[in-house]
Amino acid sequence: GLLIRAQNIPNMPLRFIEDGTMEPWEVTLTAGKIAQRCGEEFQKKTFGDSTLGEKEAEEMQVISGRIVAVLTRLEELEEELLKRCSRGHDIITQKSFGEPGLLFSLGVAENELKAWQTEENSLDAAAAAIDAACLFDEKLRDNRARSLLAMFLYELEGPGLRLNNVVLPCMDVDFLSKDEWDVLFVPNERKEEKTGKISVQDIHGSEASPEVDEEQPNRPLHPIAIDAIEEAFRLRAQNLTTSPLRIINSKTEWFEVQYNAVTFADRFLRKYRSKSLSEEELQTIGGRIVGVLMRLDDLEWEWNHRVCSSPLGQEESASMIPYEQWKTTLGLHPGGVEQVCVETIDVALLEEEDFARARAEKMLGLFLGCIEGPALKASGNRVPGGSEIDFIKCTAQRALMEPKLDNPN
């Protein structure tokens, strides 16, 4: 990805240019193409022509997902990398591995850091320097990729997964030296990685910022996100092969789903850009729309599992919600068809507006409670409007949207 960006290949942009000639989704599309190609090459090299088992298929999905996630956040991660190298100047100058030293081992060119510091921390000034270095220095590219992946795993992907006891292949950052760790992260913090006590910089990329204006009005943003997710449910239910929001058949690629999720969010929010919403508010809403759409299958399964395992879904419980009210109250289809008959769910979502609305609310609530909220709380960051699940009035349902904690026994 770093090499392709440095080559400025036509129709393969990985750096967004705000001159009106390109859309943000074009970067996502390029990232998806790279992930697909690299995934196919790795699969062929590792597994040959063998059919992938369930474990191997999961590994390939994780690899592709991480590639897209890092490449679509390159500028944000790189800016943070330069900040930390600048902040860790004493460590870098005191410790080295010999020429070219610790800075090089982190994937940062010396003239890039100088340009960034000289031009008031401008990534534009540093871009030419790093592109020139990446064109001809494979080792620098490799080192930079390691640093960017480490920050992504440790501060973006890891916190939410660990708080919810979700395990993915290769979650630990075990490929850095102690000196590299001390520059990128707080010294001696490595031992906390598996406890969930992690400093999270961002859950949506640039949307979550610790510098949110204290005087900014606390406007309700959740209704807009719910409207979008409800509309997306109906779009996904149509199973259009031209704009899939799920894997429809063997010809559907995951990057197409990612691309369509981003495109959908961008198009949906266009009508709100002239309604006094700030750019940060729009980014927060957009991040939630994409975040939910990319996890819909998992969120749907998790919500159904939590409800059915709770008093709300058990017949012997006095608190059970009557089956005829499940669609409008819980956003779930009764009769044991969840995750069993997708067609039945799709038809109901297309025909029953109240069902689609309730289901959208539950998916957003579960996302906020288990993914966005815990990560922001761990980092001390905030987003406009907050991450409270204040649109779910039922206390029992809100409790089901909280992160699952490890059993203390």
Side-chain angles (χ1 to χ4, degrees):
L2 292 170
L3 178 60
I4 287 176
R5 186 181 65 171
Q7 293 173 327
N8 290 314
I9 298 176
N11 301 320
M12 290 285 281
L14 277 174
R15 183 179 283 118
F16 180 66
I17 302 174
E18 297 186 30
D19 60 358
T21 62
M22 65 179 296
E23 299 286 346
W25 56 259
E26 294 182 63
V27 174
T28 305
L29 180 60
T30 300
K33 290 178 180 178
I34 294 173
Q36 180 185 12
R37 188 179 72 185
C38 292
E40 291 173 348
E41 291 176 356
F42 176 79
Q43 179 178 334
K44 188 171 184 62
K45 179 180 178 181
T46 307
F47 306 109
D49 296 325
S50 303
T51 302
L52 297 184
E54 184 176 341
K55 178 183 177 182
E56 290 77 16
E58 180 189 15
E59 290 175 347
M60 294 307 306
Q61 185 172 349
V62 169
I63 290 172
S64 297
R66 285 174 179 160
I67 292 172
V68 171
V70 172
L71 292 183
T72 53
R73 291 175 171 86
L74 270 181
E75 291 191 2
E76 297 151 26
L77 289 170
E78 287 178 318
E79 183 174 17
E80 193 63 32
L81 175 62
L82 292 174
K83 286 180 182 178
R84 296 180 189 194
C85 287
S86 182
R87 188 173 63 227
H89 179 266
D90 291 342
I91 299 176
I92 291 173
T93 54
Q94 292 172 12
K95 302 177 181 180
S96 69
F97 307 115
E99 291 299 329
L102 181 54
L103 192 64
F104 180 84
S105 76
L106 291 166
V108 176
E110 187 173 347
N111 58 341
E112 175 197 13
L113 185 59
K114 288 181 179 178
W116 182 76
Q117 293 171 330
T118 303
E119 297 295 329
E120 298 183 349
N121 301 346
S122 170
L123 280 179
D124 292 337
I130 191 56
D131 282 354
C134 283
L135 275 174
F136 304 106
D137 197 327
E138 182 178 358
K139 184 59 179 175
L140 181 72
R141 293 199 304 270
D142 180 67
N143 290 343
R144 194 180 190 88
R146 290 168 63 249
S147 295
L148 299 178
L149 179 62
M151 290 192 294
F152 171 78
L153 291 176
Y154 189 66
E155 297 183 335
L156 293 179
E157 180 186 90
L161 295 177
R162 289 187 175 88
L163 282 170
N164 288 282
N165 299 323
V166 177
V167 178
L168 293 180
C170 300
M171 291 172 60
D172 295 333
V173 180
D174 54 6
F175 47 84
L176 296 178
S177 70
K178 181 181 182 303
D179 289 341
E180 292 166 343
W181 183 276
D182 288 349
V183 174
L184 292 181
F185 309 111
V186 177
N188 301 320
E189 193 182 36
R190 183 192 299 267
K191 65 178 180 293
E192 297 183 349
E193 181 175 357
K194 297 183 181 181
T195 69
K197 300 176 181 177
I198 303 169
S199 171
V200 187
Q201 296 298 319
D202 194 352
I203 187 63
H204 289 311
S206 62
E207 292 88 72
S209 170
E211 301 177 357
V212 176
D213 187 354
E214 294 290 343
E215 301 301 322
Q216 185 175 3
N218 195 29
R219 287 183 283 204
L221 304 182
H222 297 324
I224 300 175
I226 293 170
D227 286 345
I229 297 167
E230 179 186 349
E231 184 175 319
F233 266 131
R234 285 191 282 269
L235 178 61
R236 187 181 69 154
Q238 297 175 45
N239 292 307
L240 301 173
T241 57
T242 53
S243 54
L245 284 175
R246 61 155 63 112
I247 299 296
I248 297 176
N249 52 44
S250 59
K251 295 182 179 180
T252 309
E253 299 290 349
W254 184 243
F255 84 86
E256 294 180 80
V257 179
Q258 295 171 316
Y259 163 72
N260 284 307
V262 174
T263 303
F264 171 84
D266 180 65
R267 289 175 178 171
F268 183 87
L269 290 176
R270 285 179 185 174
K271 57 188 173 186
Y272 293 96
R273 294 193 182 279
S274 59
K275 295 188 178 182
S276 74
L277 289 176
S278 69
E279 189 61 29
E280 189 173 24
E281 288 174 320
L282 290 170
Q283 289 176 344
T284 298
I285 299 169
R288 287 171 179 161
I289 295 171
V290 175
V292 170
L293 295 186
M294 295 305 300
R295 297 171 174 86
L296 265 183
D297 289 342
D298 294 333
L299 291 171
E300 288 173 315
W301 184 93
E302 185 66 24
W303 180 241
N304 180 62
H305 173 72
R306 292 189 180 197
V307 168
C308 292
S309 303
S310 76
L312 296 181
Q314 296 176 342
E315 294 184 355
E316 63 273 16
S317 170
S319 303
M320 181 192 175
I321 304 295
Y323 286 127
E324 61 269 20
Q325 298 178 20
W326 272 40
K327 288 183 180 179
T328 56
T329 303
L330 297 171
L332 292 173
H333 199 298
V337 299
E338 293 284 345
Q339 285 81 53
V340 175
C341 184
V342 175
E343 184 178 354
T344 299
I345 304 295
D346 285 347
V347 171
L349 288 170
L350 286 170
E351 296 179 350
E352 302 173 41
E353 185 175 332
D354 290 344
F355 176 38
R357 183 71 178 183
R359 197 176 183 90
E361 290 177 348
K362 306 315 180 242
M363 296 305 101
L364 178 61
L366 195 59
F367 173 80
L368 293 174
C370 292
I371 299 174
E372 178 183 294
L376 292 176
K377 183 178 180 180
S379 68
N381 289 338
R382 297 189 301 115
V383 291
S387 297
E388 290 75 20
I389 313 173
D390 52 12
F391 51 91
I392 302 294
K393 303 306 179 184
C394 175
T395 304
Q397 290 188 39
R398 285 202 306 271
L400 292 179
M401 295 172 180
E402 296 177 355
K404 290 183 177 180
L405 302 178
D406 289 325
N407 189 333
N409 299 320

